[in-house]
Amino acid sequence: MLAFLISCTSPHGPASIDNNRQIYDDKILYLSHDYMISAGDQIEVSYHIDVRKQDVYRIAVGDQIRVEFPHYPQFDRSLNVRPDGRVTVPHIGDIDAFGLTPMELAERITQKYEPILRNPNCTVALIRYGESIRELKEAIKTATRGQSRLALVQPDGRIAIPLLEPLRVAGMAVEDIQANINDEYQKIVPGMFTSVTLINAVGNRVYIMGAVNEPGYYQLQGPTTVTQAVAMAKGFRPNAVTSDTLLITRDERNNAVGRIIDIENIFDSGNLGKDTLLRQADIIYVPTSRLGRAAVLGETIRRMIPADLGLIYSLSESVNFIHSGD
């Protein structure tokens, strides 16, 4: 009955698991709505610079300004706005300049000098401005995809894009990555925003280990259950204890959750409701002996999570356990 019900719902042919049991093999690539970026994924960052006329110009990182004191020319300086958004003036030290108009910065410098100079009356003029925008345009102008940059998520979960320090993106949704990138760029390039698109996803996979014929990583090709994943791993080995198959998945906070799946009962009863659908980064472990509750909690589960999948899990001190009958 199980083979009949599964084959009826499949647009593709069934795949053998063991003992002539069959399960469908859906080859359609897909991403779930909660897909999180993983190491090896590739994203495209498209740049959009607001070139509309602005009422005021605000000083940006990389700008060069001229600070002058009509009554104290010995303090005159040409200053570059550093990456931290500050400039250094004589006898005062560092002053925040980023995001201020030249007049606002002049007023701030004047206030700083009033305790030591009589009528400092500082003025600030722009010598070179828009340097960050020019540098950014230079960095992306050779891109074959227009004003954009392809970024590969490195094994440490970070990406490198122009003008910014490497950003961690693994374990995040695309929209959250876009918001973070825009926040960082606004600190150095006012009026610039980006859009982020997932170009290539290799992290939509599960890990199957233990008493299966071909353990390893498997790409999710469509909505996939635990038994279908075991089929992708070419079925159980003879010593497999299928009634105690362990599924490690995540809750809504991405904390690890352990669940025992009784695959033997699923086959014997034909109860498809217990054949749990898998999510990205789920881990299946088929034991060779029965598992006690203590074996699927805490540090034991944490040790089962491969390092690259650990970028997606939030490994808290406690690990929840849910029995398949719960």
Side-chain angles (χ1 to χ4, degrees):
M1 180 182 71
L2 175 63
F4 172 76
L5 290 175
I6 295 178
S7 62
C8 286
T9 61
S10 172
H12 305 280
S16 175
I17 183 166
D18 68 327
N19 298 330
N20 295 319
R21 290 164 172 163
Q22 293 182 328
I23 205 160
Y24 79 82
D25 188 11
D26 190 344
K27 295 298 185 183
I28 299 174
L29 292 174
Y30 86 111
L31 294 175
S32 61
H33 71 280
D34 59 350
Y35 181 80
M36 294 188 293
I37 297 297
S38 304
D41 287 352
Q42 189 175 48
I43 64 174
E44 180 180 32
V45 182
S46 299
Y47 294 85
H48 315 277
I49 300 174
D50 188 353
V51 296
R52 294 173 298 177
K53 180 180 178 181
Q54 300 178 5
D55 293 335
V56 295
Y57 179 82
R58 298 194 175 275
I59 296 170
V61 170
D63 287 355
Q64 187 176 62
I65 60 176
R66 179 69 179 176
V67 179
E68 295 184 344
F69 298 82
H71 303 298
Y72 306 93
Q74 67 272 28
F75 291 124
D76 294 352
R77 294 290 189 280
S78 293
L79 303 172
N80 294 316
V81 182
R82 304 194 305 260
D84 62 0
R86 297 181 174 186
V87 294
T88 302
V89 293
H91 303 295
I92 298 298
D94 292 345
I95 295 180
D96 289 326
F98 176 83
L100 301 177
T101 66
M103 183 173 293
E104 288 171 344
L105 179 58
E107 292 174 354
R108 180 170 296 186
I109 294 175
T110 296
Q111 291 172 358
K112 293 289 184 179
Y113 274 104
E114 281 177 344
I116 60 176
L117 298 177
R118 178 177 294 180
N119 298 323
N121 295 326
C122 166
T123 63
V124 173
L126 291 166
I127 298 176
R128 188 183 69 243
Y129 54 92
E131 189 67 19
S132 295
I133 292 179
R134 284 191 290 272
E135 184 178 345
L136 180 60
K137 286 183 175 180
E138 183 69 21
I140 63 177
K141 74 176 184 179
T142 58
T144 58
R145 306 172 68 92
Q147 287 192 324
S148 67
R149 174 60 65 91
L150 293 177
L152 182 68
V153 184
Q154 300 300 315
D156 64 357
R158 300 176 186 271
I159 59 170
I161 53 178
L163 303 188
L164 299 183
E165 293 294 322
L167 294 175
R168 170 151 184 181
V169 298
M172 299 173 60
V174 169
E175 56 269 21
D176 295 329
I177 296 171
Q178 178 174 299
N180 283 358
I181 290 175
N182 284 333
D183 287 344
E184 292 301 315
Y185 272 126
Q186 284 299 318
K187 297 175 183 179
I188 56 175
V189 188
M192 203 284 298
F193 63 97
T194 68
S195 57
V196 175
T197 306
L198 179 60
I199 298 298
N200 185 30
V202 301
N204 195 34
R205 57 186 182 173
V206 295
Y207 187 48
I208 309 171
M209 58 184 175
V212 292
N213 288 312
E214 294 186 8
Y217 285 108
Y218 287 88
Q219 202 75 16
L220 293 175
Q221 304 294 336
T224 304
T225 65
V226 172
T227 58
Q228 291 166 2
V230 172
M232 292 190 293
K234 306 304 181 185
F236 302 110
R237 295 208 304 262
N239 60 342
V241 179
T242 60
S243 61
D244 272 29
T245 298
L246 172 64
L247 170 65
I248 302 173
T249 185
R250 296 169 286 119
D251 63 16
E252 64 278 0
R253 296 184 178 178
N254 294 323
N255 293 319
V257 175
R259 180 192 295 268
I260 294 294
I261 306 294
D262 189 345
I263 295 181
E264 181 177 346
N265 178 263
I266 292 173
F267 281 127
D268 290 343
S269 67
N271 187 348
L272 301 181
K274 293 184 177 181
D275 194 7
T276 306
L277 278 170
L278 297 175
R279 301 170 61 206
Q280 172 196 15
D282 280 357
I283 301 162
I284 298 171
Y285 172 68
V286 181
T288 56
S289 60
R290 293 192 63 85
L291 295 177
R293 181 186 176 98
V296 293
L297 292 178
E299 190 60 32
T300 302
I301 279 185
R302 279 189 282 272
R303 288 199 302 266
M304 288 184 178
I305 299 175
D308 53 345
L309 296 185
L311 295 172
I312 294 179
Y313 281 85
S314 297
L315 299 179
S316 61
E317 290 299 321
S318 61
V319 177
N320 292 328
F321 173 80
I322 304 174
H323 194 274
S324 58
D326 292 350

